Structure formats: structure tokens, C-alpha cells
Amino acid sequence: MLLAWSLYKKVYMQPDFSNRWQHIKESIHNPLLWLVLLLMLVNWALESRKWQLLAAPLEKISFPTAVKSVLAGCSITMLTPNRIGEYGGRILYMQEQNRLKAISHTILGSMSQLFVTLIMGSVGLFYFRFISNEGKMLNVLISPFLLNILLYISVLVSVGLLMLYLRAGFLVTLIHKAGVFKKFVKYIEHLGDFSRKQLLRILFLSILRYMVFILQYMLLLHVMQVTLNPVLCFWLLAIYYWLMAFTPTIGFTELPIRATASVQLLQVFSANILGIEVASFAIWLINLVLPAIGGSILILKLKIIKEND
């Protein structure tokens, strides 16, 4: 609460607050804002296609069903810590005998997205530590020594995660040989059915989705007149998403955390705190809240259909 109040004071006390607020109200007519909304559809289309591929070893699902599954997962995840409810939403559209098995496939997809986030964040840390002339400005937030430690840890975790992701079949074999976990093998055995080509295809879709996230954020910052060099902005956002990957949150309560993290990181390079906060709110609203509302409607419709059967 204290941090939120501090941010509020920073925003309200800006000397050009009224002009910036007027610009924000006018931005609703900016074509770039509508492009961000269009990219939301691209984002969830990519995730739906990815879910199609992930579900394939269990059952073939159509693209519209994959979309419904993803949106349902988005709805439930807004009420759970770090979006773990995503699993419960997606399996609603699977055949009953495959629902528990589908959980491990959802985790595999999350691993691919997490790997992309971590490795891009690691590159961002490397960029500011060793390449960018602006890197020294981040010393007000973190010391070079600590930055080095975080960079090394992030790279190690990323490599470990990639090896685990690409060797999912080996993991099944390992668990099968460990007698104490043998009873769980039936729930993850289909992970061994993924070929290296399929796993790389899923990883490629995760990369595309990540780029959509970054582009949406960059466009919104531009709309809100947060002036940053595009290359600098890209790697700052890579670090931002890297930070959010390690931050414990719960759907509807994560907005203050997102806003705080974005302001703390971007205000080093831009004084437009109001624009930064509004961009953060818009990303949260467009990429999480709107899909969650759509998913809630789908779940309600599914419940009504089942009750009438």
C-alpha cells in the first residue's frame, strides 16, 4: 500500500500531469491502440495452436476447441497464484479420461514459454551489463555484482529448463524406473510421444507469442508518449517480463505489482511515469482481463450445456 501511494504521488505531482492525462483520454482514437487489440487476437491464436499441438498425443482437438480451452484456462487462472489455474480451465474441453494426463502437457507448454522468457531476459541482462552505454544507469536499481550473479543463475536455469523440455521422454523413463513414482507414469507417459521436431515447433510458437507481447508493450508505450530508443525499450521489456516470471502473483491482484515493476525499471530512462503506468494497466487489461471475461462466458455456457444433458 505504501509503495502504491508513493507511485500515486509521483504521478499526480508531475508538472505536466493535466496535459498527459488529456493525451491518454485522446489515445483511444489512436490506430496503434487498435493494432494492440488486434495483436491480442494473434497472441491467443498462437497459444491456441500451441495447445492443439500439445494435446495431440492425447486427442485431436479442433482449433475452435483449442481457443475455448485456452480462454477457459485464462479465466480460471485469474483467481489462482501464478496462473496455475490454467490447467484446470484447459482440461474442461478434454475427454474425461484424458483430463489428468493433459495437465502434464499444459506444464510442458508453460515450460517452453518460461524458457523463452528466461533466455530473452538473460540476453537483456547481458546487453545492459556488457554492451549498452545506458547500462550504468541501471546501477541505481542493482549493483553490477548482483547483476552478474542474476545473469549466471538465469542462464543456468534456462539451459537446465531447455534440456528438461527437450528430453521429456527421458524424464518419463527415469520416473518409470524410480519405483516410488511409478504409479504417476500413466499420467505423463504421453510426453514421450513428442518428437524433437514437434517440441521445436511448440518452442517456435512460444517465441512468436513472446515477440507479440513485446510489440504490444512497445506500441502502448509509444501511444502514451513514453519516449525510448526501440532497442533499449525491447531489452528493458525483456528484463521486465523476466522479473515478472519470478514474482509471485494472483491474477486480479497483480496489477499493482506489474505497475510498480514497470515504473521502477522504465523511469530510469523516462520521466513519463503516468504513461508507463497506463501502458502497464492497458497490457494487463487487454492480455489478461478481456480474455478472462471471454473464458468465463465460455465456462458458464459449458456448465449450462452439461446441466441440460
Side-chain angles (χ1 to χ4, degrees), residues 59-79:
E59 62 180 86
K60 303 295 183 181
I61 60 174
S62 65
F63 184 75
T65 299
V67 172
K68 292 176 184 178
S69 299
V70 168
L71 292 179
C74 186
S75 175
I76 296 179
T77 200
M78 292 295 287
L79 304 174

Side-chain angles (χ1 to χ4, degrees), residues 199-265:
L199 290 171
L200 290 176
R201 187 178 299 172
I202 292 167
L203 187 60
F204 177 69
L205 289 172
S206 295
I207 294 172
L208 288 180
R209 191 171 179 232
Y210 181 87
M211 292 303 175
V212 170
F213 286 147
I214 295 289
L215 180 57
Q216 282 180 301
Y217 218 140
M218 290 180 69
L219 288 173
L220 282 171
L221 288 171
H222 180 75
V223 169
M224 298 305 159
Q225 294 186 334
V226 179
T227 306
L228 293 169
N229 175 280
V231 175
L232 175 68
C233 185
F234 181 93
W235 292 117
L236 280 172
L237 292 175
I239 294 176
Y240 165 77
Y241 280 116
W242 179 87
L243 286 170
M244 293 306 300
F246 290 105
T247 305
T249 58
I250 298 178
F252 280 110
T253 66
E254 73 177 54
L255 179 58
I257 298 174
R258 281 174 167 266
T260 300
S262 62
V263 169
Q264 292 298 315
L265 189 61

Side-chain angles (χ1 to χ4, degrees), residues 156-217:
L156 287 174
V157 172
S158 300
V159 171
L161 193 63
L162 180 63
M163 292 178 62
L164 185 61
Y165 171 76
L166 293 177
R167 299 296 300 275
F170 174 74
L171 179 63
V172 174
T173 302
L174 197 65
I175 293 177
H176 187 271
K177 290 181 178 179
V180 65
F181 298 113
K182 196 171 182 179
K183 62 182 180 180
F184 296 108
V185 172
K186 63 180 180 180
Y187 298 118
I188 65 170
E189 59 186 355
H190 287 286
L191 292 180
D193 295 338
F194 287 102
S195 66
R196 184 65 58 85
K197 182 179 179 180
Q198 288 173 314
L199 290 171
L200 290 176
R201 187 178 299 172
I202 292 167
L203 187 60
F204 177 69
L205 289 172
S206 295
I207 294 172
L208 288 180
R209 191 171 179 232
Y210 181 87
M211 292 303 175
V212 170
F213 286 147
I214 295 289
L215 180 57
Q216 282 180 301
Y217 218 140

Side-chain angles (χ1 to χ4, degrees), residues 13-291:
M13 294 302 292
Q14 289 186 85
D16 56 350
F17 173 80
S18 59
N19 291 334
R20 292 193 187 278
W21 182 247
Q22 182 62 32
H23 170 74
I24 288 171
K25 289 191 290 185
E26 294 171 354
S27 66
I28 191 69
H29 304 294
N30 192 316
L32 291 180
L33 182 60
W34 298 104
L35 177 58
V36 173
L37 288 170
L38 178 62
L39 286 171
M40 175 192 71
L41 300 180
V42 175
N43 170 23
W44 292 110
L46 289 170
E47 182 61 20
S48 298
R49 175 55 183 158
K50 191 169 77 172
W51 178 237
Q52 257 191 309
L53 296 176
L54 287 163
L58 294 173
E59 62 180 86
K60 303 295 183 181
I61 60 174
S62 65
F63 184 75
T65 299
V67 172
K68 292 176 184 178
S69 299
V70 168
L71 292 179
C74 186
S75 175
I76 296 179
T77 200
M78 292 295 287
L79 304 174
T80 58
N82 283 61
R83 305 181 191 175
I84 60 175
E86 179 182 52
Y87 313 140
R90 293 193 179 191
I91 64 177
L92 289 175
Y93 287 87
M94 302 288 289
Q95 295 178 15
E96 191 169 349
Q97 67 270 22
N98 292 328
R99 288 180 178 176
L100 289 179
K101 297 175 183 178
I103 293 176
S104 61
H105 293 239
T106 308
I107 294 173
L108 188 68
S110 297
M111 286 173 59
S112 71
Q113 199 69 57
L114 179 60
F115 166 73
V116 175
T117 302
L118 293 184
I119 198 65
M120 292 299 290
S122 299
V123 176
L125 291 172
F126 182 86
Y127 173 80
F128 282 106
R129 180 68 182 92
F130 299 108
I131 299 176
S132 172
N133 293 326
E134 295 94 346
K136 293 181 180 179
M137 297 177 68
L138 288 181
N139 290 346
V140 300
L141 298 177
I142 185 171
S143 68
F145 175 74
L146 184 55
L147 188 60
N148 286 342
I149 292 177
L150 290 175
L151 176 58
Y152 298 143
I153 292 175
S154 184
V155 170
L156 287 174
V157 172
S158 300
V159 171
L161 193 63
L162 180 63
M163 292 178 62
L164 185 61
Y165 171 76
L166 293 177
R167 299 296 300 275
F170 174 74
L171 179 63
V172 174
T173 302
L174 197 65
I175 293 177
H176 187 271
K177 290 181 178 179
V180 65
F181 298 113
K182 196 171 182 179
K183 62 182 180 180
F184 296 108
V185 172
K186 63 180 180 180
Y187 298 118
I188 65 170
E189 59 186 355
H190 287 286
L191 292 180
D193 295 338
F194 287 102
S195 66
R196 184 65 58 85
K197 182 179 179 180
Q198 288 173 314
L199 290 171
L200 290 176
R201 187 178 299 172
I202 292 167
L203 187 60
F204 177 69
L205 289 172
S206 295
I207 294 172
L208 288 180
R209 191 171 179 232
Y210 181 87
M211 292 303 175
V212 170
F213 286 147
I214 295 289
L215 180 57
Q216 282 180 301
Y217 218 140
M218 290 180 69
L219 288 173
L220 282 171
L221 288 171
H222 180 75
V223 169
M224 298 305 159
Q225 294 186 334
V226 179
T227 306
L228 293 169
N229 175 280
V231 175
L232 175 68
C233 185
F234 181 93
W235 292 117
L236 280 172
L237 292 175
I239 294 176
Y240 165 77
Y241 280 116
W242 179 87
L243 286 170
M244 293 306 300
F246 290 105
T247 305
T249 58
I250 298 178
F252 280 110
T253 66
E254 73 177 54
L255 179 58
I257 298 174
R258 281 174 167 266
T260 300
S262 62
V263 169
Q264 292 298 315
L265 189 61
L266 298 179
Q267 72 175 349
V268 178
F269 303 94
S270 174
N272 186 1
I273 297 175
L274 178 60
I276 296 170
E277 285 203 320
V278 172
S280 180
F281 170 74
I283 281 289
W284 178 77
L285 180 67
I286 292 170
N287 283 346
L288 293 175
V289 177
L290 292 183

